[in-house]
Amino acid sequence: MSRFQITVPATSANLGPGFDSVGIALSKFVTLDCQPADEWYFAVPEEDQPYIPSGKSNLIYKTALYTAEALGFSELPPTYVELTNDVPIARGLGSSSTAVVGGIELADHLLQLELSRYEKFKIACEIEGHPDNVGPAIFGGIMVSNYDGEQLDYVHLTEGMKNLTWLAIIPDYHLETEKARGLLPIEIEYKQAVNNSGSANVLVAALATKNWSLAGKMMQSDQWHQPYRQTLIPGFASFQEILRKENSLGHYISGAGPTTIALFDEWDEGKHTRLTTILKDFHIEPLHVNLNGAKTLVLASEK
Ligand code: HSE
């Protein structure tokens, strides 16, 4: 077997009212450097060791095995996997999706499954339950999709977004998705649902027609989840005025939070310096779309 490298991009889900349905791949990555070994081992960066196991309870391994079994295999060739992680854990930037997609890529390569991107997407949805993070992690770009437990439908957008800046405002604490989902109501009124669906429709139409200022406006119109979740993000209420002064097109809670993403069609060092100073309790990082999605690269053959 050869040494090979898998890279999976971070993702930002929801984009406001596109709850559980819209997501974008961004320019932060998890890298898995893989080589044959006598037993499975995940070499995890020191700062992530409290959260990511080194053995077979690792989500990457569990997903790889799930994929293998779904395709009729009972085991995977033992592999030493060295993780390089630039995607912060439990911050709303798709860290668990990077593990799920990384695991599917791993099984695909080790067992030469040659799965299509759609087949990978379907397996990832079975594991994640919703498609908004795993879709863009596999395909890159913006993914608009729906998964009802069986059917998976999607539209993949890639055009006209290269020059946008997606500013990540990342707090230094973790927020588990389960906790953030626990704040959501079990039911909402019909009239409210129709209105929310209208906002989501306009968001998607704006993304598809590259009307970024309208997309930014719709990001802030969301009533599905942000009104409930913003209580978990101290400072969120103050972002509106701060970001407006720097001509942000709009902002939203990334995935389940606690990261906020602000969209800019024009970005410069002055904005970076001012926002870093004002939002000093957060890590500020300008990101761009990743258009490639997950990739596997063969590095060298074993003699
Ligand atoms: N759409 C999901 C949510 C993303 O907002 O809960 C996190 O898995």
Side-chain angles (χ1 to χ4, degrees):
M1 189 181 58
S2 308
R3 286 197 297 121
F4 59 99
Q5 185 182 66
I6 297 168
T7 45
V8 187
T11 51
S12 173
N14 300 330
L15 276 65
F19 183 60
D20 277 1
S21 170
V22 180
I24 181 169
L26 293 172
S27 53
K28 282 175 93 60
F29 300 90
V30 169
T31 306
L32 314 181
D33 281 293
C34 307
Q35 57 182 298
D38 293 333
E39 56 184 35
W40 276 93
Y41 188 78
F42 291 86
V44 178
E46 198 179 337
E47 64 274 19
D48 293 335
Q49 284 172 8
Y51 317 105
I52 303 180
S54 290
K56 287 184 170 177
S57 57
N58 188 298
L59 181 58
I60 301 171
Y61 175 81
K62 289 202 277 188
T63 305
L65 186 63
Y66 177 94
T67 306
E69 288 176 348
L71 275 294
F73 293 83
S74 56
E75 54 185 38
L76 291 154
T79 304
Y80 178 90
V81 182
E82 187 176 342
L83 253 87
T84 308
N85 186 15
D86 184 34
V87 181
I89 292 172
R91 305 294 166 79
L93 289 167
S95 59
S96 80
S97 288
T98 61
V100 167
V101 172
I104 295 170
E105 289 290 327
L106 190 53
D108 186 63
H109 185 81
L110 288 173
L111 301 173
Q112 300 178 326
L113 301 173
E114 299 192 9
L115 296 171
S116 67
R117 291 199 296 186
Y118 179 76
E119 288 168 319
K120 292 174 188 173
F121 192 10
K122 196 96 194 274
I123 293 169
C125 286
E126 286 166 18
I127 295 166
E128 275 279 284
H130 39 84
D132 51 348
N133 278 312
V134 289
I138 292 168
F139 286 76
I142 291 177
M143 178 60 81
V144 182
S145 54
N146 190 45
Y147 176 66
D148 66 3
E150 279 186 29
Q151 295 290 320
L152 171 63
D153 299 295
Y154 71 89
V155 175
H156 183 209
L157 304 174
T158 56
E159 284 181 17
M161 57 189 81
K162 263 191 193 157
N163 295 328
L164 296 170
T165 297
W166 303 75
L167 183 73
I169 304 169
I170 311 173
D172 70 355
Y173 56 88
H174 292 185
L175 176 54
E176 298 304 330
T177 298
E178 248 175 53
K179 182 173 175 191
R181 287 183 91 84
L183 289 182
L184 305 179
I186 292 168
E187 291 179 346
I188 60 168
E189 279 186 20
Y190 189 80
K191 196 170 165 220
Q192 178 74 57
V194 170
N195 204 36
N196 294 357
S197 159
S199 300
N201 294 342
V202 177
L203 170 76
V204 167
L207 295 171
T209 54
K210 297 167 255 177
N211 187 341
W212 305 116
S213 61
L214 182 57
K217 181 179 170 194
M218 298 327 290
M219 286 168 185
Q220 289 178 225
S221 73
D222 162 60
Q223 297 291 314
W224 288 123
H225 68 113
Q226 295 185 145
Y228 310 100
R229 286 174 163 173
Q230 54 185 268
T231 54
L232 295 175
I233 308 173
F236 187 82
S238 68
F239 292 169
Q240 167 108 3
E241 188 54 18
I242 293 166
L243 293 166
R244 192 192 55 77
K245 281 192 185 145
E246 299 295 348
N247 294 325
S248 169
L249 300 177
H251 63 281
Y252 63 92
I253 298 173
S254 182
T259 293
T260 295
I261 296 274
L263 179 62
F264 289 85
D265 57 353
E266 287 180 15
W267 181 250
D268 57 50
E269 278 309 308
K271 291 183 187 190
H272 195 165
T273 307
R274 285 189 296 276
L275 287 172
T276 304
T277 308
I278 295 169
L279 299 169
K280 58 182 179 335
D281 293 336
F282 299 83
H283 172 66
I284 303 294
E285 191 167 346
L287 302 174
H288 297 97
V289 66
N290 165 267
L291 292 173
N292 297 323
K295 287 276 166 235
T296 300
L297 187 69
V298 175
L299 296 176
S301 290
E302 281 265 293
K303 291 272 159 139

